[in-house]
Amino acid sequence: MPNPPLRAARVFCAGTLACMDAESFEQLLVNHGASPGTLDDCTLAVIGAGLWPMTLAGAKDSRLAVLEELDRRAKSQGVIVIGERDLVTGLGLEKTCPKEQDQAEQQLFTTARLTELLGVSRERVRSWVKAGLIVPTKTEHGVWHFDFRQLAAARTLCDLTAAGLGTEKIRRSLSLLRKFMPQLEQPLEQLAALENSGKLLVRLEEGDLSEPDGQLHFEFTGDAPAGPVSPLRIAPGPRTATDWLAQGLEQEREGFLEESAASYRQALMTGGPDAQTCLNLANVLRALGNKPQALERYSQAVEADPSFADAWNNLGTLLVELGKADDAVVAFRKALEADPEDARAHYNLADTLDEMGRSDEALPHWRAYLRQDPTSRWGSHARQRLGGRG
């Protein structure tokens, strides 16, 4: 649109702008003789190219309903609806707006961030990826990263799943999304429906049918796309023990604990016994609530490296949890043999000895801990345990 009809227009912005903030947008309107408007009184609507919130600011309904209303007003009242990029191009402001490719590269979201923004579980995101409904922009160390287009598609999937809309209304909504926001065309444009059940399904690239939550369906109608059954696809992955370890660390940081445990096991299978990998695996297993296996892996870590103070210390704390205080004391003493200045080991040993009624043995370790940490709440606890005997 070479000449956006801005003069005297009342302009409503739907969604989030990618090229400017709200203040800059309002100033742009003023400079061109226009003024901000609302959904109810606008003569021109601009569809933002940025990330859409789950509910539009100033609108009572979801963004899908807003798009439907804009389309209705365009037909009945002549409201002009354009995309943000059409606006900036018509005004000769392309240089102020990042290219879509650059924007996608600048806005990458990990799975953890995606679940936070959408309020969905990791399992739901994994099911969408497995079904081909959203596609990670890149994968690093086994962790998925998504660009703004995939986030927008995921938001739409959330709407479809939660809204309980009928098939025809969903088709209408997706048609409008394709009209106003073409970046959402893949993979949601492959919408399909089983007419006999009324369920919303998506036709995947391989021809399978899936619900928006990623649940695959068998199709017995004989209408599935012709062609051979797709073979099992195996994505390239880590090859060395170092690669598996790095992947496990990334997965652990992102909260994929089961996947992280699998990666650490692969690292051990590929590279053989390694104290650090055993420790990492033990920590993950413990977080998953599998204490017996965690105990075994902590033991393997100290067997592989008897001077590994961290492994001895973590082994000791788990033994305390399991009610094996005598064994825990041995583990903490081993940690201190490896590193006499290990404050955690001093604290844990003193605390365990106190709980066992061996307060006199605990005193030197409370003092050793206080020399390193006199001010924190743990330091205050140590000082209380000393009871003026410091």
Side-chain angles (χ1 to χ4, degrees):
M1 183 173 292
N3 297 300
L6 282 180
R7 185 159 299 280
R10 291 189 60 78
V11 183
F12 170 66
C13 178
T16 303
L17 297 168
C19 303
M20 65 193 84
D21 56 26
E23 184 178 351
S24 299
F25 181 66
E26 289 189 12
Q27 186 61 52
L28 177 69
L29 297 182
V30 172
N31 293 343
H32 288 81
S35 60
T38 67
L39 177 62
D40 294 327
D41 65 9
C42 68
T43 59
L44 171 67
V46 177
I47 307 298
L51 299 173
W52 285 55
M54 293 302 291
T55 302
L56 287 171
K60 297 180 180 179
D61 300 314
S62 71
R63 64 183 182 278
L64 298 180
V66 171
L67 292 174
E68 285 191 317
E69 178 63 17
L70 287 175
D71 191 58
R72 186 187 69 78
R73 290 175 181 268
K75 294 175 180 177
S76 63
Q77 301 175 16
V79 173
I80 298 172
V81 183
I82 63 174
E84 179 185 355
R85 294 187 183 280
D86 290 331
L87 176 68
V88 298
T89 299
L91 296 176
L93 302 175
E94 299 95 325
K95 291 183 180 180
T96 68
C97 194
K99 295 180 180 179
E100 290 187 8
Q101 181 177 0
D102 294 339
Q103 186 183 35
E105 292 175 352
Q106 293 168 5
Q107 301 185 48
L108 291 180
F109 306 85
T110 64
T111 303
R113 182 60 175 150
L114 203 68
T115 61
E116 179 183 346
L117 290 171
L118 300 178
V120 298
S121 66
R122 296 174 187 275
E123 289 69 25
R124 176 60 59 86
V125 173
R126 281 198 288 265
S127 70
W128 286 341
V129 172
K130 182 178 180 180
L133 303 181
I134 58 174
V135 181
T137 304
K138 67 177 183 178
T139 302
E140 288 186 348
H141 303 303
V143 175
W144 293 326
H145 298 260
F146 303 88
D147 63 18
F148 75 98
R149 295 181 185 86
Q150 296 303 313
L151 176 55
R155 286 184 187 275
T156 302
L157 287 168
C158 287
D159 283 353
L160 296 178
T161 303
L165 302 176
T167 300
E168 289 306 315
K169 182 157 187 173
I170 292 173
R171 282 178 170 169
R172 169 68 175 153
S173 297
L174 290 181
S175 175
L176 290 170
L177 286 172
R178 289 196 294 271
K179 178 179 180 180
F180 295 134
M181 300 181 70
Q183 69 267 25
L184 297 185
E185 289 184 358
Q186 295 293 339
L188 297 182
E189 69 177 2
Q190 301 177 50
L191 182 67
L194 293 181
E195 300 297 342
N196 58 345
S197 67
K199 289 183 178 180
L200 171 68
L201 298 176
V202 174
R203 177 75 66 186
L204 305 182
E205 183 179 354
E206 297 82 3
D208 297 324
L209 290 176
S210 171
E211 290 188 34
D213 66 0
Q215 177 64 48
L216 293 176
H217 280 246
F218 290 106
E219 185 175 24
F220 299 102
T221 63
D223 296 327
V229 177
S230 299
L232 177 66
R233 295 186 300 275
I234 301 178
R239 296 179 180 274
T240 68
T242 301
D243 292 340
W244 283 112
L245 177 59
Q247 175 168 296
L249 289 168
E250 284 288 333
Q251 290 168 327
E252 184 178 353
R253 279 193 290 266
E254 288 294 317
F256 289 86
L257 299 185
E258 292 182 357
E259 292 84 350
S260 177
S263 293
Y264 290 144
R265 287 191 177 98
Q266 286 291 338
L268 292 170
M269 291 174 61
T270 304
D274 175 74
Q276 183 63 58
T277 305
C278 287
L279 175 63
N280 294 347
L281 177 54
N283 290 338
V284 169
L285 291 170
R286 186 175 181 177
L288 288 168
N290 196 334
K291 293 182 180 180
Q293 287 192 21
L295 183 63
E296 180 181 353
R297 293 297 182 174
Y298 283 136
S299 298
Q300 290 177 354
V302 296
E303 288 172 3
D305 182 1
S307 64
F308 198 174
D310 285 345
W312 281 115
N313 191 62
N314 287 14
L315 172 60
T317 58
L318 180 55
L319 288 168
V320 170
E321 292 179 16
L322 295 173
K324 300 180 178 181
D326 288 328
D327 292 336
V329 168
V330 173
F332 294 138
R333 293 194 188 281
K334 288 286 187 180
L336 290 172
E337 286 179 14
D339 182 2
E341 300 302 318
D342 190 323
R344 293 173 304 161
H346 278 296
Y347 184 99
N348 290 331
L349 176 55
D351 198 46
T352 303
L353 289 169
D354 258 354
E355 291 296 324
M356 297 172 69
R358 297 160 62 179
S359 299
D360 290 341
E361 293 180 58
L363 291 178
H365 299 291
W366 286 128
R367 296 188 186 104
Y369 181 79
L370 277 171
R371 285 195 292 270
Q372 299 186 53
D373 178 20
T375 59
S376 74
R377 62 187 181 94
W378 293 281
S380 297
H381 178 73
R383 190 172 291 105
Q384 291 175 0
R385 286 298 185 99
L386 280 173
R389 294 177 291 176

